[in-house]
């Protein structure tokens, strides 16, 4: 009786040899999908290590179609395995890999919400109604936005599990309280929570001027009277940051990523013959923080396609010209040569800027309410909304779209700006008109 025929991708007899260096080498034969024989090998300090290396080598030899898959049983195990490849994906079909900070965000959602609530549940038992109940609980206990984040991460996890063959969900029949249903990814069949409507936030020049007055003049005196000694909030930084955000429409972490070489000045002759200095800013980076690298400048905004030159209005030109004039290069502490740095000359963290604005809101909530500004809505993102509203109302939604770096006018209209009634030419002119005199 002949030997039983080996299955495709199955290792034959494994032999071990010991090299002069003491390294153990494992060898075997394996057949691929075309019937061709391969003789892979693997090495390690022990036979177990050599065998593991041999199996990995065999997987490469016979192709991924025959490579064995490790069975994943629970949601927690699935999350652990998915996170390992979510960022370092060697699939040549994927043109743009997820950024490290994105994967850090996924890991945070998994650690805070998914594993504590569903980590021990076998993935084959995650039915649509069970997943939907999980999301309802999170929406009630946390927030609608958190529930949607959990839904997004779990959906990506289960898509990957199906692709890898960890469990058979495509076309499977699952029993629910509503009867038997055919599902693919059970998470995708759940209901996405309706998030609150967009709050349109519009600031006029008088409101902005008063806010800057509170920051520059009232806050220092009030803080000094209350705390005669101790560290002072950086009032000037907050005022400058507001002006730059209004002038460039950048996201919260983008102004602190503006480098010395990202600002260009041009002398422009006015109709009356006078010359004014105008600034162009390259929106080409953002500051991010990851577990592995800490704080660093990412060489693109939120998306690569959003890189753009922005001609800024006069009030932002004034701030940028001062930053450029006072800039001192420091390759050791500030290798990217950003303009906005800490007292020690290092790049700023967006969270510190955000905390500074929150301190101001807490201190001046009654004053802000008195001028028609809800302190809760005064954020750097809301300033971006104010820019979009001002530009779209006076220069058109197309100009607002380009200024904000959106790929589609629908994004600008849906989240930031309302349909304009009057069309003019450029965003900088529109901002100069709407916010004239705020830096006075």
């Amino acid at each position: 009786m002949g030997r039983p025929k080996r299955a495709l991708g199955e290792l034959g007899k494994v032999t071990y040899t010991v090299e002069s260096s003491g390294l153990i080498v494992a060898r075997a034969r394996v057949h691929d999908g075309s019937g061709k024989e391969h003789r892979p090998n693997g090495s390690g300090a022990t036979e177990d290590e050599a065998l593991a290396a041999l199996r990995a080598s065999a997987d490469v030899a016979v192709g991924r179609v025959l490579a064995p898959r490790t069975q994943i049983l629970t949601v927690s195990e699935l999350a652990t395995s998915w996170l390992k490849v979510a960022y370092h994906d060697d699939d040549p079909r994927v043109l743009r890999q997820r950024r490290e900070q994105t994967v850090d965000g996924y890991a945070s959602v998994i650690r805070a919400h998914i594993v504590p609530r569903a980590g021990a549940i076998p993935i084959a038992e995650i039915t649509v109604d069970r997943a939907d109940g999980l999301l309802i609980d999170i929406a009630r206990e946390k927030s609608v936005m958190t529930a949607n984040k959990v839904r997004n991460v779990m959906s990506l996890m289960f898509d990957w599990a199906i692709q890898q063959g960890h469990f058979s969900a495509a076309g499977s029949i699952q029993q629910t309280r509503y009867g038997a249903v055919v599902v693919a990814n059970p998470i995708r069949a759940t209901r996405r929570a309706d998030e609150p409507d967009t709050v349109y936030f519009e600031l006029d020049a008088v409101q902005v001027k008063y806010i800057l007055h509170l920051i520059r003049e009232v806050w220092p005196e009030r803080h000094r009277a209350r705390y005669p000694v101790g560290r002072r909030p950086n009032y000037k930084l907050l005022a400058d940051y507001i002006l730059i955000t209004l002038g460039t429409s950048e996201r919260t972490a983008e102004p602190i990523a503006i480098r010395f070489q990202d600002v260009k000045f041009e002398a422009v002759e006015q109709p009356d013959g006078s010359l004014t200095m105008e600034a162009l800013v390259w929106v080409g980076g953002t500051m991010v923080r990851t577990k592995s690298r800490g704080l660093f400048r990412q060489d693109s905004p939120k998306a690569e396609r959003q890189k753009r030159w922005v001609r800024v209005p006069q009030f932002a030109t004034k701030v940028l010209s001062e930053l450029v004039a006072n800039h001192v290069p420091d390759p050791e502490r500030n290798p990217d040569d950003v303009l906005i740095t800490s007292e020690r000359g290092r790049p700023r963290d967006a969270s510190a800027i955000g905390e500074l604005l929150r301190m101001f809101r807490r201190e001046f909530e009654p004053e802000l309410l008195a001028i028609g500004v809800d302190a809760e809505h005064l954020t750097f993102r809301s300033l971006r909304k104010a820019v979009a509203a001002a530009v779209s109302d006076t220069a058109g939604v197309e100009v607002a779209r380009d200024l904000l770096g959106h790929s589609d006018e629908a994004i600008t209209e849906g989240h930031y700006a309302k349909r304009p009634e009057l069309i003019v030419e450029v965003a900088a002119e529109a901002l100069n008109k709407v916010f004239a005199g705020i830096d006075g």
Side-chain angles (χ1 to χ4, degrees):
M1 183 176 178
R3 290 178 301 175
K5 187 176 179 179
R6 292 198 308 271
L8 298 179
E10 180 184 353
L11 289 175
K13 181 180 179 181
V14 179
T15 60
Y16 298 93
T17 58
V18 181
E19 301 289 330
S20 58
S21 62
L23 202 64
I24 298 175
V25 179
R27 293 179 174 87
R29 298 182 182 185
V30 66
H31 289 86
D32 62 19
S34 65
K36 183 179 179 181
E37 183 181 271
H38 297 268
R39 299 187 179 186
N41 65 77
S43 59
T46 65
E47 288 190 357
D48 288 341
E49 290 182 5
L51 180 59
L54 169 64
R55 285 174 174 164
S57 180
D59 288 349
V60 174
V62 303
R64 286 178 178 264
V65 69
L66 296 177
R69 302 297 184 187
T70 302
Q71 184 66 25
I72 293 178
L73 301 178
T74 66
V75 170
S76 180
E77 291 171 341
L78 171 60
T80 301
S81 298
W82 174 68
L83 284 174
K84 289 179 180 179
V85 300
Y87 175 61
H88 300 287
D89 195 332
D90 63 351
D91 188 341
R93 300 168 298 177
V94 181
L95 298 178
R96 297 178 182 86
Q97 306 300 333
R98 295 185 181 96
R99 287 174 171 159
E100 188 177 353
Q101 61 268 28
T102 301
V103 179
D104 283 351
Y106 293 159
S108 177
V109 171
I110 289 170
R111 182 175 58 254
H113 306 291
I114 297 176
V115 171
R117 295 172 182 267
I121 301 175
I123 56 176
E125 295 182 13
I126 297 293
T127 58
V128 177
D129 62 327
R130 177 171 282 179
D132 207 51
L134 169 69
L135 297 174
I136 290 174
D137 289 343
I138 293 174
R140 286 172 177 166
E141 297 173 19
K142 300 296 181 181
S143 69
V144 168
M145 291 184 65
T146 301
N148 282 340
K149 287 181 181 179
V150 170
R151 182 181 183 273
N152 179 53
V153 173
M154 289 190 70
S155 183
L156 291 171
M157 286 167 46
F158 275 73
D159 276 346
W160 180 79
I162 294 170
Q163 292 163 7
Q164 297 296 309
H166 289 306
F167 75 115
S168 178
S172 64
I173 299 178
Q174 293 188 358
Q175 296 293 330
T176 73
R177 55 188 167 192
Y178 305 111
V181 295
V182 179
V183 298
N185 182 336
I187 311 302
R188 290 193 180 277
T190 62
R191 177 178 177 176
R192 179 177 177 82
D194 295 330
E195 296 186 5
D197 293 335
T198 299
V199 176
Y200 290 104
F201 188 84
E202 298 184 37
L203 287 170
D204 57 36
V206 175
Q207 290 172 320
V208 175
K209 195 167 185 177
Y210 185 68
I211 289 171
L212 293 175
H213 165 72
L214 292 176
I215 295 173
R216 291 168 169 168
E217 300 173 29
V218 180
W219 199 8
E221 293 298 326
R222 183 180 296 186
H223 193 277
R224 190 177 297 110
R226 186 177 301 169
Y227 308 104
V229 296
R231 189 176 180 181
R232 313 286 186 201
N234 196 329
Y235 318 109
K236 187 178 186 308
L237 171 63
L238 181 57
D240 288 351
Y241 214 81
I242 289 175
L243 290 171
I244 293 175
T245 301
L246 284 173
T248 63
S249 79
E250 291 182 299
R251 294 179 175 85
T252 305
E254 291 174 357
I256 48 177
I258 298 175
R259 301 168 298 181
F260 181 81
Q261 62 265 38
D262 291 337
V263 184
K264 294 181 179 180
F265 295 96
E266 296 178 350
V268 179
E269 185 175 1
Q270 301 301 315
D272 61 359
S274 62
L275 292 176
T276 60
M277 189 68 69
E278 294 188 359
L280 287 168
V281 175
W282 174 245
V283 182
T286 186
M287 297 302 295
V288 297
R289 181 181 290 279
T290 64
K291 287 185 176 180
S292 62
R293 297 181 59 182
L295 181 68
F296 66 97
R297 183 185 183 277
Q298 175 182 283
D299 196 25
S300 72
K302 184 177 181 181
E304 183 72 23
R305 65 177 181 275
Q306 294 174 349
K307 290 184 176 181
R308 62 200 184 277
W309 282 101
V310 173
R311 185 178 296 277
V312 301
Q314 287 299 312
F315 60 82
T317 298
K318 183 177 179 181
V319 176
L320 290 167
S321 61
E322 182 180 349
L323 288 171
V324 169
N326 295 330
H327 179 68
V328 178
D330 188 344
E332 182 178 351
R333 295 183 179 182
N334 184 14
D336 290 310
D337 214 24
V338 297
L339 289 176
I340 300 177
T341 59
S342 67
E343 291 78 3
R344 297 183 179 181
R346 301 185 184 279
R348 291 272 185 182
D349 194 326
S351 62
I353 307 289
E355 177 57 29
L356 192 59
L357 181 59
R358 287 189 290 273
M359 288 173 60
F360 169 73
R361 289 185 342 212
R362 290 193 296 267
E363 183 66 35
F364 292 98
E365 184 174 359
E367 288 86 347
L368 292 172
L369 191 59
I371 61 169
V373 176
D374 186 344
E376 181 183 355
H377 293 150
L378 182 60
T379 64
F380 290 116
R381 188 168 186 268
S382 69
L383 293 176
R384 187 169 151 89
K385 288 178 182 287
V387 171
V391 173
S392 65
D393 284 345
T394 55
V397 72
E398 296 86 359
V399 178
R401 174 203 62 196
D402 294 338
L403 179 64
L404 272 65
H406 289 156
S407 59
D408 191 344
E409 293 174 18
I411 300 174
T412 311
E413 289 182 333
H415 297 280
Y416 290 93
K418 291 182 280 190
R419 175 67 69 177
E421 297 177 356
L422 176 67
I423 305 296
V424 293
E425 290 188 359
V426 293
E429 292 179 2
L431 292 171
N432 274 326
K433 290 180 180 179
V434 174
F435 297 112
I438 62 174
D439 57 337

